[in-house]
């Protein structure tokens, strides 16, 4: 094999450009994944109700293949969504989320105040 037919190594410019593109794509996904804080249907510091809450909605949505969860409107229990990897919003079945978090024993979801997205609990 002569020098003219041998594969040419990538130049520093091409490698740097590929690395920059990969970094930008990764940062874009990281920014999308961190736009909303991890979801908790019962926020930290809320009064204890004696009933188990839905404090793992973020992990529940990830178990479905999504990035995270978000309450689009903190004044509505109906505003919880899973955020897909492409940024699309997907509704959450809170009964399924309770079953996922607590097992069959606490498989139903309810809320204390329809005007408070963080008032969900499982029973």
């Amino acid at each position: 094999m002569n020098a003219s037919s041998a594969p040419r190594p990538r130049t520093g410019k091409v490698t740097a450009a590929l690395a920059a593109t990969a970094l930008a794509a990764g940062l874009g996904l990281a920014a999308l994944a961190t736009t909303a804080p991890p979801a908790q249907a019962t926020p930290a510091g809320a009064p204890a109700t004696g009933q188990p809450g839905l404090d793992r909605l973020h992990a529940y949505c990830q178990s479905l293949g999504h990035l995270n969860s978000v309450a689009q409107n903190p004044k509505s229990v109906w505003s919880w969504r899973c955020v897909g990897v492409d940024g699309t919003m997907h509704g959450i079945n809170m009964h399924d989320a309770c079953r996922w978090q607590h097992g069959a024993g606490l498989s139903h979801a309810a809320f204390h105040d329809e005007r408070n997205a963080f008032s969900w609990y499982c029973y």
Side-chain angles (χ1 to χ4, degrees), residues 51-54 94-109 121-123:
Q51 296 162 320
L54 284 168
M94 292 301 204
H95 298 299
D96 285 344
C98 281
R99 270 189 295 279
W100 179 86
Q101 182 173 336
H102 299 288
L106 298 171
S107 61
H108 300 286
Y121 65 93
C122 301
Y123 67 97

Side-chain angles (χ1 to χ4, degrees), residues 57-102:
L57 285 176
H58 183 77
Y60 170 73
C61 287
Q62 287 181 332
S63 78
L64 299 175
H66 304 299
L67 289 177
N68 60 16
S69 60
V70 64
Q72 294 180 305
N73 178 358
K75 295 182 179 182
S76 172
V77 293
W78 309 113
S79 70
W80 283 103
R81 302 287 181 272
C82 288
V83 181
V85 294
D86 59 356
T88 58
M89 299 294 175
H90 304 271
I92 298 176
N93 181 321
M94 292 301 204
H95 298 299
D96 285 344
C98 281
R99 270 189 295 279
W100 179 86
Q101 182 173 336
H102 299 288

Side-chain angles (χ1 to χ4, degrees), residues 11-58:
T11 65
K13 288 182 181 178
V14 171
T15 303
L18 290 173
T21 301
L23 179 62
L27 289 175
L29 285 176
L32 180 60
T34 59
T35 55
Q40 291 182 266
T42 308
T49 62
Q51 296 162 320
L54 284 168
D55 57 355
R56 299 194 59 223
L57 285 176
H58 183 77

